Amino acid sequence: MTMLSTPPLALADLRVEPGLPTVVSPRAGADASLDDATPLLQQIAEERLERTGGLLFTGFRIQSIDAFQSFAASFGHPLIGYEFASTPRSQVHGAVYTSTEYPPHRSIPLHNEQSYTREWPLRIWFHCALAARSGGATPIADSRAIYRAFDPALVERFASRELLYVRNFGQGLDLPWEQAFGSDDPAVVERICRARGIQCEWRDSEDGELLLRTRERCQAVARHPRTGENVWFNQAHLFHLSSLDEDMQQALIDSVGPENVPRNVYYGCGAPLEADALAQIRGVLDEQRIAFPWQTGDVLMLDNMLTAHARDPFEGPRKVVVAMAQTYRTGDVGDGGTGEPAWC
Ligand SMILES: [Fe+2]
């Protein structure tokens, strides 16, 4: 009796289209289950990810969150949680999270994950479990190209002055601190802040709510630890008050005062960012944006320092989940992490 067995998948069974993202898919007729393809996909990622910045795996029948989680973990690094969150997310399963829970009709501008702090994942995967009926892309951009596209004087100014992110949690306006830090114990929050060089300050609201303000001095640009390339690496354009509609900016200032708005960002010494600098940043990011449509079952794997991501508005149901790995910590920046430099 002859036993039939499936021949192993070969590189020739895959189609690899260079670019950002580099699109990897099975060739027509190749029987490429995810399990069979994973060793080859790991090899391709090893060779290409830090050159192109991002890979899109499409057509590999990734049909469950579990399968996605195993796939992301198969690249050799344990998946990590989401600490000191910027936006609401839910844990879907294990180390897989929803992508940001943000109203569907709004865009999320390009950003590198957790570049508003000094500790971030080097790898991030997005899995499209359900493509939206309309819109809902996850546009990306080359952070090296963004860095090179700016006026060098702006880069020099931001790189040397760095940034100070100020967040006021709670007040019914932004994430509660309990959610951002994953604990309702102020002592735990203080411990996390100390370990990460974040200044924290508590105060009581008029109705007795315990409110938290954090101030964290961070990089505006960064050097990739493996490729040595410089990247634009901050969220000034997202945290600055000007990211909100003018009506909303005024309403927030009227309601809580300028120092208590949920989030804002300054130069490292506390000096305001210039409106024209923010306009240039937003303009360059727009020019560098690359969008492609999701197919249900796709996985996008990014080097989080080399490639930024965004979210387009959408209609109808959409489910895109996220996993991250390889925490990277920068050394102390500028003032040694005290948040109080003497220069600007
Ligand atoms: Fe993100």
Side-chain angles (χ1 to χ4, degrees), residues 13 51 73 178 188 200 209-210 253 258 276 279 306 320 331 340:
D13 295 320
R51 273 192 284 139
E178 294 91 336
V188 171
C200 66
E209 187 192 355
L210 185 59
I253 291 169
D276 62 340
L306 299 181
V320 174
E340 292 184 10

Side-chain angles (χ1 to χ4, degrees), residues 46-314:
E46 178 70 27
E47 288 164 5
R48 293 178 181 251
L49 184 63
E50 289 178 358
R51 273 192 284 139
T52 66
L55 301 165
L56 176 65
F57 301 118
T58 188
F60 292 100
R61 305 199 300 264
I62 299 173
Q63 287 167 337
S64 70
I65 303 296
D66 261 350
F68 166 61
Q69 178 166 258
S70 306
F71 179 60
S74 77
F75 289 87
H77 296 275
L79 302 183
I80 55 179
Y82 193 69
E83 276 187 353
F84 193 38
S86 161
T87 51
R89 288 165 186 267
S90 308
Q91 199 167 7
V92 179
H93 175 79
V96 175
Y97 292 79
T98 57
S99 54
T100 296
E101 289 153 13
Y102 196 66
H105 64 282
R106 309 206 63 145
S107 310
I108 300 175
L110 284 163
H111 62 282
N112 306 84
E113 203 63 29
Q114 291 182 288
S115 55
Y116 55 82
T117 183
R118 293 201 296 259
E119 190 175 310
W120 55 80
L122 288 177
R123 295 284 176 268
I124 185 165
W125 293 262
F126 297 87
H127 168 48
C128 179
L130 179 65
R133 191 174 62 233
S134 159
T138 298
I140 56 179
D142 183 337
S143 297
R144 295 164 288 193
I146 293 168
Y147 177 94
R148 291 192 300 265
F150 285 124
D151 172 0
L154 180 143
V155 172
E156 169 54 28
R157 192 164 74 246
F158 273 72
S160 61
R161 291 184 175 185
E162 303 179 329
L163 293 167
L164 183 68
Y165 294 86
V166 180
R167 296 176 68 177
N168 285 288
F169 295 90
Q171 313 173 97
L173 296 171
D174 203 342
L175 279 188
W177 55 264
E178 294 91 336
Q179 194 177 339
F181 286 89
S183 170
D184 58 6
D185 181 349
V188 171
V189 172
E190 287 174 15
R191 205 158 47 237
I192 294 172
C193 286
R194 234 183 348 264
R196 300 179 67 136
I198 301 168
Q199 287 186 316
C200 66
E201 183 187 324
W202 300 97
R203 64 194 170 95
D204 288 317
S205 72
E206 280 171 10
D207 56 9
E209 187 192 355
L210 185 59
L211 300 177
L212 172 65
R213 175 183 296 145
T214 59
R215 289 152 52 92
E216 185 175 14
R217 177 137 183 211
C218 295
Q219 70 291 323
V221 303
R223 187 181 293 265
H224 193 283
R226 285 164 56 92
T227 71
E229 293 160 297
N230 289 325
V231 292
W232 185 252
F233 200 73
N234 66 74
Q235 294 192 14
H237 61 299
L238 271 170
F239 273 72
H240 194 264
L241 196 58
S242 65
S243 67
L244 303 172
D245 299 340
E246 278 183 21
D247 288 355
M248 177 62 83
Q249 294 178 39
Q250 199 52 54
L252 279 175
I253 291 169
D254 292 346
S255 138
V256 294
E259 69 286 1
N260 294 322
V261 296
R263 53 182 74 190
N264 212 345
V265 59
Y266 307 86
Y267 283 119
C269 61
L273 302 182
E274 305 85 353
D276 62 340
L278 287 156
Q280 186 181 152
I281 291 166
R282 293 185 174 115
V284 165
L285 292 174
D286 274 354
E287 285 163 16
Q288 295 291 333
R289 170 194 142 96
I290 300 163
F292 59 91
W294 279 123
Q295 308 293 329
T296 295
D298 285 356
V299 170
L300 177 67
M301 178 179 186
L302 302 180
D303 180 302
N304 182 44
M305 290 189 75
L306 299 181
T307 306
H309 61 274
R311 192 205 72 188
D312 278 354
F314 62 95

